[in-house]
Amino acid sequence: MACLTGSTVAAPATAYAYPAEPALQPLLDQALMVDGVTRQYALYVPSDQPAYRVADPKNNPIVVILHADGETARGHALRTQWTRVAEEEGFIAAFPSALNGSWNTHLDPGRTDDIGFVTAVTDAVRGAYQGSAVNTYLVGEGAGAAVANEVAAINSPRYVAVASLTGGAPADFYQTASARLRTTTMASWTFITGRQPTADEHRQVEYWKRANGVGTRARHDGGRDFDTTVYRNPTNPLAQVRVSHLRDPFTLGGISVARAIWRDMFRPTLRFTDQDSVNGHLVPFRTAKQMRLTEYTATLAGQTRRWLVYLPSNYRKLTTHGRTLPLVLAFHGRNGSGRYLAQQTGWHEVAEARGFIVVYPQAEPVTGANIGFSGSIDAANPDVAVTLGILADVTTRFAVDTTRVIVTGVSQGAAFTNRLAVQYPHLFAAIAPCYSGHLNATSYTNPIVRTDVPLPVWQCRGVNEVPTDYPGGTAGEAAAKLFWRKAVNKNAGPPTVEVDGRYTTDVYRDGVAEYRWTVNGDIGHFWPKDLGYKLWDDFLSRYRRLPDGTLAGPGGR
């Protein structure tokens, strides 16, 4: 090498600015008791988790990551850099620790139950941070991959996808746990270091291929660090099985693998529990922008509040010559979000097809950790005042037909729909509080509650809902049915029973306004796909609240 003396090397005119690495939070040591044994896990919570949870409470994903045998949870977190990806992407990462450094992959009854332990960690983290089965995922390496897949196969309703790094459940697992297996769609990604998968890896891949109903044709992708074969379900590409060969085994512990798993499979995939017999369905994550929702913000009742608005794509054409459109106000459940409710219910899709406006208000945290709309019967309920402010803003800003304002909601949003309507029934043409949500039974004795204004009501519930699933409980449900059917709408006779697929509906029409009660089969506390079309076409679109307060439409007087 030549030695340069008496000379200098000029710096580049413009130095490249490397992006700053995110500052990581400390790993939190946690413990919980499982079957009389104290077990440990580490937890990583990204620095902006409180902020992004408030911004969109339902976009609060959790990834449960299982280390290889002979490794610690902390060591695995450091080596694989899942904490850095969690900080970058905004998800909570949980790292359960194997007892004495070794996982019970063979379900040895003389050892601790690791499937129960990992499930308990999942539930504990969800409870502490208001997480959900809609976006909880599993990753494991080596023996940890075997346990991750065992957990996914047995407790599939709790998870969306599972990724395996050089490991698979042993053959005796499928025999020992055969009575516990719940075959279901579960997006799966297996990374291998050999040219061919091991027997355990192959068996695992075939298990998930059958569960996902993938086609025989595969797509092959070449990446910088690994080659991937992708098998997809012909009708739902999210129900997929991926197998990746790592060109360099050392890549296994690199951040590129963690980023790929998150960005290419976990982040885009959610599980909706909309059909219990098949453990729900995998659906794509959708942003507000992808759904063409526009956010509005204003100070209402002394609070800064947000709401999302959907206008049909032909809004200008629909509103020419002074024409106006119906409006649907749709309220999300506890620890939910307007964006998530839009994706869950698809009201904006109904609006596009049928020609109306949808507004999804967003609740804000007031006290405690929960986010939701208040069902308080107090006349000064702040969420009621905010809603009236939103309604005033929207009717001023857009061409709203004020005779056709509809209110609907899910869970706590259904309870708030009831709360809003008992005080201001004259503002609305009809309401549809569904899955489920009711006021406390004593609420109907409050002086603000009106029974002098007929109001068409359609209430819904899932056949598998339990009282702890929703506000008001069993007593609230019974009181709500009696209040709307009889006290308000004066229906006394027996119902007509209508059966439409999974929907069984009691229809009351002998009073001053129609009342409907639907039980939906094969579902719990969740909104069924396409329910919005049924509610709109069969009921909500038929009513108007005329300027003098009278009701027009079937059953109106």
Side-chain angles (χ1 to χ4, degrees):
M1 177 184 293
C3 179
L4 300 179
T5 60
S7 63
T8 59
V9 178
T14 303
Y16 176 74
Y18 289 91
E21 293 279 5
L24 299 185
Q25 302 298 301
L27 270 173
L28 306 174
D29 291 321
Q30 307 288 314
L32 75 166
M33 184 78 70
V34 180
D35 291 335
V37 178
T38 300
R39 302 292 299 269
Q40 310 292 328
Y41 65 99
L43 189 65
Y44 186 83
V45 181
S47 57
D48 59 351
Q49 193 271 343
Y52 71 66
R53 183 176 172 269
V54 170
D56 186 348
K58 210 64 175 182
N59 186 17
N60 191 28
I62 298 168
V63 180
V64 181
I65 305 158
L66 310 185
H67 61 78
D69 275 358
E71 196 174 21
T72 66
R74 280 182 166 271
H76 187 75
L78 179 65
R79 178 173 63 82
T80 60
Q81 301 189 68
W82 270 102
T83 51
R84 188 166 298 282
V85 181
E87 183 67 30
E88 292 172 350
E89 303 288 348
F91 59 84
I92 296 169
F95 300 88
S97 293
L99 200 62
N100 301 318
S102 175
W103 296 104
N104 183 12
T105 59
H106 294 276
L107 308 188
D108 182 348
R111 299 180 60 188
T112 57
D113 176 11
D114 282 331
I115 294 175
F117 167 54
V118 173
T119 304
V121 169
T122 302
D123 293 345
V125 176
R126 278 198 198 138
Y129 294 92
Q130 290 76 46
S132 160
V134 72
N135 50 8
T136 301
Y137 313 88
L138 284 160
V139 183
E141 182 176 340
V147 174
N149 279 272
E150 292 171 357
V151 173
I154 288 176
N155 290 320
S156 54
R158 284 180 164 88
Y159 305 96
V160 182
V162 58
S164 316
L165 290 81
T166 66
D172 60 1
F173 163 74
Y174 299 98
Q175 300 164 1
T176 304
S178 60
R180 301 169 62 191
L181 298 181
R182 302 183 64 179
T183 303
T184 185
T185 52
M186 175 76 62
S188 168
W189 197 341
T190 298
F191 289 81
I192 64 175
T193 53
R195 293 306 307 176
Q196 297 295 327
T198 66
D200 288 346
E201 291 168 343
H202 174 74
R203 190 180 304 106
Q204 182 170 282
V205 168
E206 292 303 309
Y207 177 86
W208 290 122
K209 285 169 70 174
R210 290 191 299 273
N212 286 286
V214 301
T216 56
R217 300 183 64 181
R219 193 188 77 231
H220 300 279
D221 294 332
R224 185 184 66 180
D225 297 317
F226 43 83
D227 297 310
T228 302
T229 302
V230 184
Y231 303 88
R232 298 186 189 275
N233 182 291
T235 60
N236 183 0
L238 292 173
Q240 61 178 282
V241 175
R242 296 184 179 219
V243 181
S244 290
H245 170 250
L246 294 165
R247 295 197 184 100
D248 181 351
F250 289 103
T251 306
L252 186 67
I255 197 170
S256 62
V257 170
R259 282 180 175 145
I261 292 171
W262 172 255
R263 294 175 182 175
D264 295 347
M265 179 174 280
F266 287 5
R267 169 66 171 172
T269 312
L270 307 177
R271 181 185 295 283
F272 279 2
T273 55
D274 55 359
Q275 190 174 356
D276 288 352
S277 61
V278 294
N279 298 324
H281 296 92
L282 302 184
V283 299
F285 174 84
R286 289 286 181 257
T287 64
K289 183 177 180 180
Q290 287 171 326
M291 293 184 284
R292 291 185 46 242
L293 302 174
T294 302
E295 183 173 282
Y296 292 85
T297 304
T299 300
L300 302 170
Q303 304 176 38
T304 300
R305 299 298 288 264
R306 300 169 289 148
W307 60 94
L308 297 170
V309 175
Y310 185 85
L311 300 178
S313 57
N314 58 346
Y315 171 78
R316 290 188 180 277
K317 180 179 180 180
L318 291 173
T319 56
T320 56
H321 309 298
R323 290 180 293 181
T324 56
L325 303 181
L327 169 67
V328 171
L329 292 171
F331 294 92
H332 64 76
R334 182 173 65 91
N335 293 322
S337 71
R339 180 207 59 81
Y340 176 74
L341 185 70
Q343 182 166 6
Q344 181 189 24
T345 63
W347 272 116
H348 57 290
E349 297 171 1
V350 185
E352 178 67 23
R354 301 296 190 259
F356 58 86
I357 301 167
V358 185
V359 172
Y360 300 101
Q362 176 61 53
E364 301 291 337
V366 180
T367 58
N370 291 328
I371 295 172
F373 299 99
S374 172
S376 167
I377 203 68
D378 191 321
N381 183 320
D383 283 325
V384 172
V386 166
T387 299
L388 297 179
I390 292 174
L391 183 58
D393 182 281
V394 171
T395 54
T396 300
R397 195 185 299 266
F398 304 111
V400 172
D401 181 351
T402 56
T403 73
R404 302 181 70 192
V405 178
I406 308 295
V407 187
T408 184
V410 174
S411 192
Q412 193 176 62
F416 184 71
T417 298
N418 279 288
R419 168 61 186 89
L420 190 64
V422 298
Q423 187 175 9
Y424 294 101
H426 56 289
L427 298 180
F428 311 116
I431 65 171
C434 288
Y435 302 96
S436 266
H438 311 283
L439 303 179
N440 292 322
T442 57
S443 297
Y444 298 103
T445 63
N446 192 287
I448 69 167
V449 174
R450 297 184 63 174
T451 58
D452 60 324
V453 180
L455 181 65
V457 176
W458 193 340
Q459 293 183 281
C460 319
R461 66 162 294 153
V463 68
N464 296 327
E465 291 192 62
V466 296
T468 54
D469 279 340
Y470 52 84
T474 302
E477 178 178 281
K481 292 172 67 176
L482 185 63
F483 175 77
W484 291 117
R485 176 179 65 83
K486 193 170 184 179
V488 172
N489 291 328
K490 316 303 184 205
N491 291 291
T496 300
V497 180
E498 297 180 355
V499 179
D500 179 11
R502 292 163 63 189
Y503 303 100
T504 300
T505 304
D506 293 338
V507 182
Y508 297 84
R509 294 195 179 101
D510 63 307
V512 295
E514 185 175 356
Y515 173 79
R516 294 188 176 205
W517 172 259
T518 289
V519 176
N520 188 55
D522 199 16
I523 200 169
H525 191 61
F526 205 87
W527 184 279
K529 188 179 188 305
D530 295 331
L531 174 64
Y533 284 99
K534 183 174 181 63
L535 293 175
W536 182 260
D537 292 343
D538 295 355
F539 189 76
L540 300 175
S541 63
R542 302 160 61 191
Y543 294 98
R544 291 179 182 273
R545 178 71 63 187
L546 300 180
D548 65 359
T550 58
L551 186 67
R557 298 291 187 267

